[in-house]
Amino acid sequence: MKSWKSAIWAVMVSVSLPLGLVYWCTNLFTCLLLGVWVAAVLAFSLIYNRRHFEKELRIQEKSLQQAAIRTLNHHRHDWMNDLQVLYGYIQLGKPDKSVQCVERIKERIALDSRIAKLGIPSLVFYIQSFRTYATNLELDVQVEEGLQLEDKLTPEMGNELTSVIMQTVRTYQYSGLGSPGDTRKLRLGFSQDGGDILISFEGEGAHGNPELLQGQIYNIGQGKIMKAEQFGTNDSFVALRLPLEM
């Protein structure tokens, strides 16, 4: 970023040379030189900016591809573990345990399906890829059956919702008092309340300053399409209300 800004400034400063010639000696030659120089500077700036944008785009695309591969590998690893456990129960002749294992697999498939049906690509990808990152926070996601947001929110609103959820999760992640290496759980729920959508956050474990935690979450929602609310007596529970009838 610094090199890009430095190059732009160097190009702009370079115009001062022909400009100075025109100031000290105004004639046809110096005016033509200034015009050619400015045209060359503009052409260079356009080409440089385009290449810089393409480079940044390639970096972002590669980062997204790596995140997608990491997510797929993590899910494949989880499925292989479940299948190995199921196969072990079958070999040991334990039908009850086998049925319980199949039920767990069915519940995970159903949850993944409900998450996907939320319909906001950035949000779905964030939730599905969250557990692939080594963090001290475990995300327990719950989605109400049949809940879909794709046809209720514009792409811009969907991206804003994803951003607010990511910031809120990050706030919970860094607000705990647990020892290094301890893993805490955060329940993230999606449900419909009349004409509104509720996104709830309920953290487990001690928090340094619950009031500060709530204040930070309220600030995240300031000026956004949703507002933060608190229900009950649990200091670590906050819900974001997203009105759909606007």
Side-chain angles (χ1 to χ4, degrees):
M1 178 62 71
K2 290 183 178 180
S3 61
W4 173 71
K5 290 183 177 180
S6 299
I8 296 299
W9 274 107
V11 168
M12 294 176 63
V13 170
S14 70
V15 179
S16 62
L17 177 60
L19 193 60
L21 290 175
V22 172
Y23 178 78
W24 291 105
C25 182
T26 305
N27 54 44
L28 179 60
F29 174 77
T30 54
C31 290
L32 287 175
L33 179 61
L34 177 62
V36 171
W37 197 291
V38 170
V41 167
L42 291 176
F44 175 82
S45 299
L46 289 174
I47 294 173
Y48 188 89
N49 287 339
R50 180 178 178 180
R51 290 181 177 177
H52 178 76
F53 174 77
E54 291 175 349
K55 181 180 178 181
E56 291 293 324
L57 193 61
R58 286 194 298 270
I59 293 174
Q60 293 177 9
E61 183 179 359
K62 183 178 180 180
S63 177
L64 182 61
Q65 291 172 347
Q66 291 174 340
I69 292 172
R70 185 168 55 247
T71 301
L72 290 174
N73 286 336
H74 193 280
H75 281 274
R76 177 184 59 80
H77 180 74
D78 287 346
W79 289 121
M80 288 300 297
N81 285 343
D82 289 337
L83 291 176
Q84 287 175 356
V85 172
L86 176 60
Y87 183 64
Y89 285 142
I90 293 175
Q91 285 187 313
L92 293 173
K94 295 183 177 181
D96 293 341
K97 293 291 186 179
S98 299
V99 171
Q100 293 176 6
C101 186
V102 171
E103 289 298 324
R104 288 196 301 270
I105 294 175
K106 286 173 60 178
E107 290 175 2
R108 285 185 52 194
I109 294 175
L111 175 60
D112 286 343
S113 176
R114 292 196 298 272
I115 293 174
K117 288 180 180 178
L118 288 174
I120 301 176
S122 57
L123 178 60
V124 173
F125 183 76
Y126 171 70
I127 293 174
Q128 296 287 27
S129 62
F130 183 85
R131 55 180 157 172
T132 67
Y133 295 94
T135 69
N136 64 336
L137 188 69
E138 177 186 344
L139 208 57
D140 179 16
V141 183
Q142 301 172 354
V143 182
E144 184 179 284
E145 184 68 39
L147 181 62
Q148 296 184 9
L149 301 178
E150 183 178 16
D151 57 344
K152 299 179 176 65
L153 301 177
T154 64
E156 292 75 16
M157 293 170 65
N159 289 333
E160 183 174 298
L161 175 62
T162 302
S163 176
V164 171
I165 290 175
M166 291 174 62
Q167 293 180 60
T168 304
V169 171
R170 194 176 299 115
T171 300
Y172 274 97
Q173 183 177 349
Y174 295 106
S175 66
L177 289 177
S179 302
D182 290 348
T183 299
R184 295 179 295 115
K185 180 178 291 186
L186 173 64
R187 293 188 181 90
L188 172 61
F190 296 84
S191 61
Q192 189 155 1
D193 182 27
D196 300 340
I197 297 296
L198 286 182
I199 300 97
S200 60
F201 302 84
E202 184 175 6
E204 291 185 356
H207 294 273
N209 189 330
E211 293 182 357
L212 177 61
L213 171 67
Q214 294 171 15
Q216 291 174 334
I217 297 174
Y218 276 78
N219 289 334
I220 291 172
Q222 288 294 323
K224 302 296 192 305
I225 58 176
M226 64 217 71
K227 60 180 180 178
E229 300 177 348
Q230 184 184 12
F231 301 94
T233 58
N234 189 345
D235 291 333
S236 65
F237 183 93
V238 175
L240 300 176
R241 180 176 294 273
L242 174 62
L244 297 180
E245 299 177 358
M246 294 180 288

